[in-house]
Amino acid sequence: MRGDSETDRSIRPWPRQMRAETAAAYLDEASTSSFLRSVGTLYPEPRMIPMKGRRWLKADLDEALDRLHGRAGDERPAPL
């Protein structure tokens, strides 16, 4: 049985590579489809993993967020 995703995330860290559904949740998008509509513009294109399909790297998503918020090149605070 799957638990509340917010509770699940407080227990374990975000993975370094994510499927579209996980990336959308990480970015707090309203839905996976809204995330996918922004890929290639606001968000980076996925990496193709043989026999696994599309995956987004957490580092790439973090860089995109930094650009969106005018923090490109700034030092990000260390994760807690």
Side-chain angles (χ1 to χ4, degrees):
M1 180 169 96
R2 294 186 68 171
D4 179 351
S5 62
E6 188 172 324
T7 302
D8 292 347
R9 286 289 150 219
S10 66
I11 295 170
R12 61 186 174 99
W14 291 99
R16 290 184 56 209
Q17 76 173 6
M18 304 176 200
R19 294 184 314 253
E21 297 81 4
T22 307
Y26 179 69
L27 296 168
D28 199 28
E29 282 288 339
S31 65
T32 301
S33 60
S34 67
F35 164 68
L36 290 172
R37 283 192 297 275
S38 297
V39 168
T41 56
L42 295 178
Y43 304 127
E45 295 287 341
R47 312 278 178 123
M48 290 302 292
I49 308 297
M51 300 187 324
K52 293 286 186 182
R54 303 180 303 174
R55 296 293 189 271
W56 283 263
L57 295 180
K58 182 179 177 290
D60 292 346
L61 298 173
D62 289 341
E63 287 177 20
L65 286 176
D66 286 345
R67 281 192 305 277
L68 286 172
H69 292 281
R71 296 181 56 181
D74 290 352
E75 286 291 318
R76 284 191 313 221
L80 298 174

Coordinates of all heavy atoms in Angstrom, one line a residue:
M1 N 0.8 -1.2 0.0 CA 0.0 0.0 0.0 C 0.9 1.2 0.0 O 1.8 1.3 0.8 CB -0.9 0.0 1.2 CG -1.8 1.2 1.3 SD -3.0 1.0 2.6 CE -2.3 1.9 3.9
R2 N 0.6 2.2 -0.9 CA 1.3 3.4 -0.9 C 0.8 4.4 0.1 O -0.4 4.6 0.2 CB 1.3 4.0 -2.3 CG 1.9 3.1 -3.4 CD 2.0 3.8 -4.7 NE 2.9 4.9 -4.6 CZ 3.3 5.6 -5.6 NH1 2.9 5.3 -6.8 NH2 4.1 6.6 -5.5
G3 N 1.7 5.1 0.7 CA 1.3 6.1 1.7 C 1.2 7.5 1.1 O 1.4 7.7 -0.1
D4 N 0.9 8.4 1.9 CA 0.9 9.8 1.5 C 2.2 10.2 0.9 O 3.2 10.1 1.6 CB 0.5 10.7 2.7 CG 0.4 12.2 2.4 OD1 0.8 12.6 1.3 OD2 -0.1 12.9 3.3
S5 N 2.3 10.8 -0.3 CA 3.6 11.1 -0.9 C 4.4 12.1 -0.1 O 5.6 12.1 0.0 CB 3.4 11.6 -2.3 OG 2.7 12.8 -2.4
E6 N 3.7 13.1 0.6 CA 4.4 14.1 1.4 C 5.1 13.4 2.6 O 6.2 13.6 2.9 CB 3.4 15.1 1.9 CG 4.1 16.3 2.6 CD 3.2 17.4 2.8 OE1 2.3 17.7 2.0 OE2 3.3 18.0 3.9
T7 N 4.4 12.4 3.2 CA 4.9 11.7 4.3 C 6.1 10.8 3.8 O 7.1 10.8 4.4 CB 3.9 10.8 5.0 OG1 2.8 11.6 5.4 CG2 4.4 10.0 6.1
D8 N 5.9 10.2 2.7 CA 7.0 9.3 2.1 C 8.2 10.2 1.9 O 9.3 9.7 2.1 CB 6.5 8.7 0.8 CG 5.5 7.7 0.9 OD1 5.2 7.3 2.1 OD2 4.9 7.3 -0.1
R9 N 8.1 11.3 1.3 CA 9.3 12.2 1.0 C 10.0 12.7 2.3 O 11.1 13.0 2.3 CB 8.8 13.4 0.2 CG 8.6 13.0 -1.2 CD 9.8 12.7 -1.9 NE 9.5 11.7 -3.0 CZ 10.3 10.7 -3.3 NH1 11.4 10.4 -2.7 NH2 9.9 9.9 -4.2
S10 N 9.2 12.8 3.4 CA 9.9 13.2 4.6 C 10.8 12.1 5.2 O 11.7 12.4 6.0 CB 8.9 13.7 5.6 OG 8.1 12.6 6.1
I11 N 10.5 10.9 4.8 CA 11.2 9.8 5.3 C 12.5 9.4 4.4 O 13.5 9.1 5.0 CB 10.3 8.5 5.4 CG1 9.2 8.8 6.4 CG2 11.1 7.3 5.7 CD1 8.1 7.7 6.4
R12 N 12.3 9.6 3.1 CA 13.5 9.2 2.3 C 13.8 10.4 1.3 O 12.8 11.1 1.0 CB 13.2 7.9 1.5 CG 12.0 8.0 0.6 CD 11.8 6.6 0.0 NE 10.6 6.6 -0.8 CZ 10.5 6.8 -2.1 NH1 11.6 6.9 -2.8 NH2 9.4 6.8 -2.8
P13 N 15.0 10.6 0.9 CA 15.4 11.7 0.1 C 14.9 11.5 -1.4 O 14.5 10.4 -1.7 CB 16.9 11.7 0.1 CG 17.3 10.3 0.4 CD 16.2 9.8 1.3
W14 N 14.9 12.6 -2.1 CA 14.5 12.5 -3.5 C 15.6 11.7 -4.2 O 16.8 11.9 -4.0 CB 14.4 13.9 -4.1 CG 13.2 14.6 -3.6 CD1 13.2 15.6 -2.6 CD2 11.9 14.5 -4.0 NE1 11.9 16.0 -2.4 CE2 11.1 15.4 -3.3 CE3 11.2 13.7 -5.0 CZ2 9.7 15.5 -3.4 CZ3 9.9 13.8 -5.2 CH2 9.1 14.7 -4.4
P15 N 15.2 10.9 -5.2 CA 16.3 10.1 -5.9 C 17.1 11.0 -6.9 O 16.6 12.1 -7.3 CB 15.4 9.1 -6.7 CG 14.1 9.7 -6.9 CD 13.9 10.5 -5.6
R16 N 18.2 10.6 -7.2 CA 19.1 11.4 -8.1 C 18.6 11.4 -9.6 O 18.8 12.3 -10.3 CB 20.5 10.9 -8.1 CG 21.2 11.2 -6.8 CD 22.6 10.8 -6.7 NE 23.4 11.4 -7.8 CZ 24.4 10.9 -8.4 NH1 24.9 9.7 -8.0 NH2 25.1 11.5 -9.4
Q17 N 17.9 10.3 -10.0 CA 17.2 10.3 -11.3 C 15.7 10.0 -11.1 O 15.4 9.3 -10.1 CB 17.9 9.3 -12.2 CG 17.6 7.9 -12.0 CD 18.1 7.0 -13.0 OE1 18.8 7.4 -13.9 NE2 17.8 5.7 -13.0
M18 N 14.9 10.6 -11.9 CA 13.5 10.5 -11.7 C 12.7 10.3 -13.0 O 13.1 10.8 -14.0 CB 13.0 11.8 -11.1 CG 13.6 12.3 -9.8 SD 13.1 13.9 -9.3 CE 14.4 14.4 -8.2
R19 N 11.6 9.5 -12.8 CA 10.7 9.4 -13.9 C 9.9 10.7 -13.9 O 9.9 11.5 -13.0 CB 9.7 8.2 -13.7 CG 10.4 6.9 -13.8 CD 9.5 5.7 -13.6 NE 8.5 5.9 -12.5 CZ 8.6 5.3 -11.4 NH1 9.4 4.4 -11.2 NH2 7.7 5.6 -10.5
A20 N 9.1 10.9 -15.0 CA 8.3 12.1 -15.1 C 7.4 12.4 -13.9 O 7.3 13.5 -13.5 CB 7.5 12.1 -16.4
E21 N 6.7 11.4 -13.4 CA 5.8 11.6 -12.3 C 6.6 12.1 -11.0 O 6.1 12.9 -10.3 CB 5.1 10.2 -11.9 CG 4.2 9.7 -13.0 CD 5.0 8.9 -14.1 OE1 6.3 8.7 -14.0 OE2 4.4 8.5 -15.1
T22 N 7.7 11.5 -10.8 CA 8.5 11.9 -9.6 C 9.1 13.3 -9.8 O 9.0 14.1 -8.9 CB 9.7 10.9 -9.4 OG1 9.1 9.6 -9.3 CG2 10.4 11.2 -8.1
A23 N 9.6 13.6 -11.0 CA 10.1 14.9 -11.3 C 9.0 16.0 -11.2 O 9.2 17.1 -10.6 CB 10.7 15.0 -12.7
A24 N 7.8 15.7 -11.6 CA 6.7 16.7 -11.5 C 6.4 16.9 -10.0 O 6.2 18.1 -9.6 CB 5.4 16.1 -12.2
A25 N 6.4 15.9 -9.2 CA 6.2 16.1 -7.8 C 7.3 16.9 -7.1 O 7.1 17.8 -6.3 CB 6.0 14.7 -7.1
Y26 N 8.5 16.6 -7.5 CA 9.7 17.3 -7.0 C 9.6 18.8 -7.3 O 10.0 19.6 -6.4 CB 11.0 16.7 -7.6 CG 12.3 17.3 -7.1 CD1 12.7 17.2 -5.8 CD2 13.0 18.1 -8.0 CE1 13.9 17.8 -5.4 CE2 14.2 18.7 -7.6 CZ 14.6 18.6 -6.3 OH 15.8 19.2 -5.9
L27 N 9.1 19.1 -8.5 CA 9.0 20.5 -8.9 C 7.7 21.2 -8.4 O 7.5 22.3 -8.7 CB 9.2 20.6 -10.4 CG 10.5 20.2 -10.9 CD1 10.5 20.0 -12.4 CD2 11.6 21.2 -10.5
D28 N 6.9 20.4 -7.7 CA 5.6 20.9 -7.2 C 4.7 21.3 -8.4 O 3.9 22.3 -8.2 CB 5.8 22.0 -6.2 CG 4.6 22.2 -5.3 OD1 3.8 21.2 -5.2 OD2 4.3 23.3 -4.9
E29 N 4.8 20.6 -9.5 CA 3.9 20.9 -10.6 C 2.5 20.3 -10.3 O 2.4 19.4 -9.5 CB 4.4 20.2 -11.9 CG 5.5 21.0 -12.5 CD 5.1 22.3 -13.2 OE1 3.9 22.5 -13.5 OE2 5.9 23.2 -13.4
A30 N 1.5 20.9 -10.9 CA 0.1 20.5 -10.6 C -0.1 19.1 -11.1 O -0.9 18.3 -10.5 CB -0.9 21.4 -11.3
S31 N 0.6 18.6 -12.1 CA 0.4 17.3 -12.7 C 1.6 16.9 -13.5 O 2.4 17.8 -13.9 CB -0.9 17.2 -13.6 OG -0.7 18.1 -14.7
T32 N 1.6 15.6 -13.8 CA 2.7 15.2 -14.7 C 2.6 15.8 -16.1 O 3.6 16.2 -16.7 CB 2.7 13.6 -14.8 OG1 2.8 13.1 -13.5 CG2 3.8 13.1 -15.7
S33 N 1.4 15.9 -16.6 CA 1.2 16.5 -17.9 C 1.6 18.0 -17.9 O 2.2 18.4 -18.9 CB -0.2 16.3 -18.4 OG -1.2 16.9 -17.6
S34 N 1.4 18.7 -16.9 CA 1.8 20.1 -16.9 C 3.3 20.2 -16.8 O 3.9 21.1 -17.5 CB 1.2 20.9 -15.7 OG 1.6 20.5 -14.5
F35 N 4.0 19.3 -16.1 CA 5.4 19.2 -16.1 C 5.9 18.9 -17.5 O 6.8 19.6 -18.1 CB 5.9 18.1 -15.1 CG 7.4 17.7 -15.4 CD1 8.4 18.6 -15.1 CD2 7.7 16.5 -15.9 CE1 9.7 18.2 -15.3 CE2 9.0 16.1 -16.1 CZ 10.0 17.0 -15.8
L36 N 5.4 17.9 -18.2 CA 5.8 17.5 -19.5 C 5.6 18.6 -20.5 O 6.5 18.8 -21.4 CB 5.1 16.2 -20.0 CG 5.5 15.0 -19.2 CD1 4.6 13.8 -19.6 CD2 7.0 14.6 -19.4
R37 N 4.6 19.4 -20.4 CA 4.4 20.6 -21.3 C 5.5 21.6 -21.1 O 5.8 22.3 -22.1 CB 3.0 21.2 -21.1 CG 1.9 20.5 -21.6 CD 0.6 21.3 -21.6 NE 0.1 21.7 -20.3 CZ -0.6 20.9 -19.5 NH1 -1.0 19.7 -19.9 NH2 -1.0 21.3 -18.3
S38 N 6.1 21.6 -20.0 CA 7.2 22.6 -19.8 C 8.6 22.1 -20.0 O 9.6 22.8 -19.9 CB 7.1 23.1 -18.3 OG 5.9 23.8 -18.1
V39 N 8.7 20.8 -20.3 CA 10.0 20.2 -20.7 C 10.5 20.8 -22.0 O 9.7 20.9 -23.0 CB 9.9 18.7 -20.8 CG1 11.2 18.1 -21.4 CG2 9.7 18.1 -19.4
G40 N 11.7 21.2 -22.0 CA 12.3 21.8 -23.2 C 12.2 23.3 -23.2 O 12.8 24.0 -24.0
T41 N 11.4 23.9 -22.3 CA 11.3 25.3 -22.2 C 11.8 25.7 -20.7 O 12.9 26.2 -20.6 CB 9.9 25.9 -22.5 OG1 8.9 25.2 -21.6 CG2 9.5 25.7 -23.9
L42 N 10.9 25.5 -19.8 CA 11.3 25.8 -18.4 C 12.2 24.7 -17.8 O 13.1 25.0 -17.0 CB 10.0 25.9 -17.5 CG 9.1 27.0 -17.8 CD1 7.9 26.9 -16.8 CD2 9.8 28.3 -17.6
Y43 N 11.9 23.5 -18.1 CA 12.6 22.3 -17.6 C 13.5 21.6 -18.6 O 13.1 21.7 -19.8 CB 11.7 21.4 -16.9 CG 10.8 22.0 -15.9 CD1 9.4 21.9 -15.9 CD2 11.4 22.8 -14.8 CE1 8.6 22.5 -14.9 CE2 10.6 23.4 -13.9 CZ 9.2 23.3 -13.9 OH 8.4 23.9 -13.0
P44 N 14.5 20.9 -18.2 CA 15.4 20.3 -19.2 C 14.8 19.0 -19.8 O 13.9 18.4 -19.3 CB 16.6 19.9 -18.3 CG 16.1 19.7 -16.9 CD 15.0 20.7 -16.8
E45 N 15.4 18.7 -20.9 CA 15.0 17.4 -21.6 C 15.5 16.3 -20.7 O 16.5 16.4 -20.0 CB 15.6 17.4 -23.0 CG 15.1 18.4 -24.0 CD 13.7 18.1 -24.5 OE1 13.3 17.0 -24.4 OE2 13.1 19.1 -25.0
P46 N 14.8 15.2 -20.8 CA 15.3 14.0 -20.0 C 16.5 13.4 -20.6 O 16.8 13.6 -21.8 CB 14.1 13.1 -20.1 CG 13.4 13.4 -21.4 CD 13.6 14.9 -21.6
R47 N 17.2 12.5 -19.9 CA 18.2 11.7 -20.4 C 17.5 10.4 -20.7 O 16.6 9.9 -20.1 CB 19.2 11.4 -19.3 CG 19.7 12.6 -18.5 CD 20.8 13.3 -19.2 NE 21.2 14.5 -18.5 CZ 22.5 14.7 -18.1 NH1 23.4 13.9 -18.4 NH2 22.8 15.8 -17.5
M48 N 18.0 9.7 -21.8 CA 17.5 8.4 -22.2 C 18.4 7.3 -21.6 O 19.6 7.3 -21.9 CB 17.4 8.3 -23.7 CG 16.3 9.2 -24.3 SD 14.7 8.9 -23.7 CE 14.3 7.3 -24.3
I49 N 17.8 6.5 -20.8 CA 18.5 5.4 -20.2 C 18.1 4.1 -20.9 O 16.9 3.8 -21.0 CB 18.1 5.2 -18.7 CG1 18.3 6.6 -17.9 CG2 18.9 4.1 -18.0 CD1 19.7 7.1 -17.9
P50 N 19.1 3.4 -21.5 CA 18.7 2.2 -22.2 C 17.9 1.2 -21.4 O 18.2 1.0 -20.2 CB 20.1 1.6 -22.6 CG 21.0 2.7 -22.6 CD 20.5 3.6 -21.5
M51 N 16.8 0.7 -22.0 CA 15.9 -0.2 -21.4 C 15.1 0.3 -20.2 O 14.4 -0.4 -19.5 CB 16.6 -1.5 -21.1 CG 17.2 -2.2 -22.3 SD 17.9 -3.8 -22.1 CE 18.6 -3.8 -20.5
K52 N 15.3 1.6 -19.9 CA 14.5 2.2 -18.8 C 13.7 3.4 -19.3 O 12.7 3.7 -18.7 CB 15.5 2.7 -17.7 CG 16.2 1.7 -17.0 CD 15.3 1.0 -16.0 CE 16.1 0.0 -15.2 NZ 15.2 -0.8 -14.3
G53 N 14.1 4.1 -20.3 CA 13.3 5.2 -20.8 C 13.9 6.5 -20.3 O 15.0 6.7 -19.9
R54 N 12.9 7.5 -20.3 CA 13.3 8.9 -20.0 C 13.5 9.0 -18.5 O 12.7 8.6 -17.7 CB 12.2 9.9 -20.4 CG 11.9 9.8 -21.9 CD 10.9 10.8 -22.3 NE 9.6 10.5 -21.6 CZ 8.6 11.3 -21.6 NH1 8.6 12.3 -22.4 NH2 7.5 11.0 -20.9
R55 N 14.6 9.7 -18.1 CA 14.8 10.0 -16.7 C 15.4 11.4 -16.6 O 16.2 11.9 -17.4 CB 15.9 9.1 -16.1 CG 15.4 7.6 -16.0 CD 14.3 7.4 -15.0 NE 13.9 6.0 -14.8 CZ 13.1 5.3 -15.5 NH1 12.5 5.8 -16.5 NH2 12.8 4.0 -15.2
W56 N 15.0 12.2 -15.6 CA 15.5 13.5 -15.3 C 16.4 13.4 -14.1 O 16.1 12.7 -13.1 CB 14.3 14.5 -15.0 CG 13.6 14.9 -16.2 CD1 13.8 16.0 -16.9 CD2 12.5 14.2 -16.8 NE1 12.9 16.1 -17.9 CE2 12.1 15.0 -17.9 CE3 11.9 13.0 -16.6 CZ2 11.2 14.6 -18.8 CZ3 10.9 12.6 -17.5 CH2 10.5 13.4 -18.6
L57 N 17.6 14.1 -14.2 CA 18.5 14.1 -13.1 C 18.1 15.2 -12.1 O 17.8 16.3 -12.6 CB 19.9 14.3 -13.6 CG 20.5 13.2 -14.4 CD1 21.9 13.6 -14.8 CD2 20.5 11.9 -13.7
K58 N 18.2 14.9 -10.9 CA 17.8 15.9 -9.8 C 18.7 17.2 -10.0 O 18.2 18.3 -9.9 CB 18.0 15.3 -8.4 CG 17.7 16.3 -7.3 CD 17.9 15.5 -6.0 CE 17.6 16.5 -4.8 NZ 18.6 17.5 -4.7
A59 N 20.0 17.0 -10.3 CA 20.9 18.1 -10.5 C 20.4 19.0 -11.6 O 20.5 20.2 -11.5 CB 22.3 17.6 -10.7
D60 N 20.0 18.4 -12.7 CA 19.5 19.2 -13.9 C 18.2 20.0 -13.5 O 18.1 21.1 -13.9 CB 19.2 18.3 -15.1 CG 20.4 17.6 -15.7 OD1 21.5 18.1 -15.4 OD2 20.2 16.7 -16.5
L61 N 17.3 19.3 -12.7 CA 16.1 20.0 -12.3 C 16.5 21.2 -11.3 O 15.9 22.3 -11.4 CB 15.2 19.0 -11.6 CG 14.7 17.9 -12.6 CD1 13.9 16.9 -11.7 CD2 13.8 18.5 -13.7
D62 N 17.4 20.9 -10.4 CA 17.8 22.0 -9.5 C 18.4 23.2 -10.3 O 18.1 24.3 -10.0 CB 18.9 21.5 -8.5 CG 18.2 20.5 -7.5 OD1 17.0 20.5 -7.3 OD2 19.0 19.8 -6.9
E63 N 19.2 22.9 -11.3 CA 19.8 24.0 -12.1 C 18.7 24.8 -12.8 O 18.8 26.0 -12.9 CB 20.8 23.4 -13.1 CG 22.1 23.0 -12.5 CD 23.0 22.4 -13.5 OE1 22.8 22.6 -14.8 OE2 23.9 21.6 -13.1
A64 N 17.7 24.1 -13.3 CA 16.6 24.8 -14.0 C 15.8 25.7 -13.0 O 15.5 26.8 -13.3 CB 15.6 23.8 -14.6
L65 N 15.6 25.2 -11.8 CA 15.0 26.0 -10.8 C 15.8 27.2 -10.4 O 15.2 28.3 -10.3 CB 14.7 25.2 -9.5 CG 13.6 24.1 -9.6 CD1 13.5 23.3 -8.3 CD2 12.2 24.8 -9.9
D66 N 17.1 27.0 -10.3 CA 18.0 28.2 -10.0 C 17.8 29.3 -11.1 O 17.7 30.4 -10.8 CB 19.4 27.7 -9.9 CG 19.7 27.0 -8.6 OD1 18.8 27.1 -7.7 OD2 20.7 26.3 -8.5
R67 N 17.8 28.8 -12.4 CA 17.7 29.8 -13.5 C 16.3 30.5 -13.4 O 16.2 31.7 -13.6 CB 17.8 29.1 -14.8 CG 19.3 28.8 -15.2 CD 19.4 28.4 -16.7 NE 18.5 27.2 -17.0 CZ 18.9 26.0 -16.8 NH1 20.0 25.7 -16.2 NH2 18.1 25.0 -17.1
L68 N 15.3 29.7 -13.1 CA 13.9 30.3 -13.1 C 13.8 31.4 -12.0 O 13.1 32.3 -12.1 CB 12.9 29.2 -12.8 CG 12.5 28.3 -14.0 CD1 11.7 27.2 -13.5 CD2 11.9 29.1 -15.1
H69 N 14.6 31.2 -10.9 CA 14.5 32.1 -9.7 C 15.6 33.0 -9.7 O 15.9 33.7 -8.6 CB 14.4 31.2 -8.5 CG 13.1 30.5 -8.3 ND1 12.0 31.1 -7.9 CD2 12.8 29.2 -8.6 CE1 11.0 30.2 -8.0 NE2 11.5 29.0 -8.4
G70 N 16.4 33.2 -10.8 CA 17.4 34.2 -10.9 C 18.6 33.8 -10.0 O 19.3 34.8 -9.6
R71 N 18.9 32.6 -9.8 CA 20.0 32.2 -8.9 C 21.1 31.5 -9.7 O 21.9 30.8 -9.1 CB 19.5 31.3 -7.8 CG 18.5 32.0 -6.9 CD 18.1 31.1 -5.8 NE 19.2 30.5 -5.0 CZ 19.1 29.7 -4.0 NH1 17.9 29.3 -3.6 NH2 20.2 29.2 -3.4
A72 N 21.1 31.6 -11.0 CA 22.1 30.9 -11.8 C 23.5 31.4 -11.4 O 23.7 32.5 -11.3 CB 21.8 31.1 -13.3
G73 N 24.3 30.4 -11.1 CA 25.7 30.7 -10.7 C 25.8 31.0 -9.2 O 26.9 31.1 -8.7
D74 N 24.7 31.2 -8.5 CA 24.8 31.4 -7.1 C 25.1 30.1 -6.4 O 24.8 29.1 -6.8 CB 23.5 32.0 -6.5 CG 23.2 33.4 -7.0 OD1 24.1 34.0 -7.6 OD2 22.1 33.9 -6.7
E75 N 25.7 30.3 -5.2 CA 25.9 29.1 -4.3 C 24.6 28.8 -3.7 O 23.9 29.6 -3.2 CB 26.9 29.4 -3.2 CG 28.3 29.5 -3.7 CD 28.8 28.1 -4.2 OE1 28.6 27.1 -3.4 OE2 29.5 28.0 -5.2
R76 N 24.2 27.5 -3.8 CA 23.0 27.1 -3.2 C 23.3 26.6 -1.8 O 24.4 26.1 -1.5 CB 22.3 25.9 -3.9 CG 21.6 26.3 -5.2 CD 20.8 25.1 -5.6 NE 21.7 23.9 -5.6 CZ 21.7 23.0 -6.5 NH1 20.9 23.1 -7.6 NH2 22.5 22.0 -6.5
P77 N 22.4 26.8 -0.8 CA 22.7 26.4 0.5 C 22.8 24.8 0.5 O 22.1 24.2 -0.3 CB 21.5 26.8 1.4 CG 20.4 27.2 0.4 CD 21.1 27.5 -0.9
A78 N 23.6 24.3 1.4 CA 23.8 22.9 1.5 C 22.5 22.2 1.9 O 21.8 22.8 2.8 CB 24.9 22.5 2.5
P79 N 22.1 21.1 1.4 CA 20.8 20.4 1.8 C 20.9 20.0 3.3 O 22.0 19.7 3.8 CB 20.7 19.2 0.9 CG 22.0 19.0 0.3 CD 22.8 20.3 0.4
L80 N 19.8 20.1 3.9 CA 19.7 19.7 5.4 C 19.7 18.2 5.5 O 19.3 17.4 4.8 CB 18.5 20.3 6.0 CG 18.5 21.8 6.0 CD1 17.1 22.3 6.5 CD2 19.6 22.4 6.8

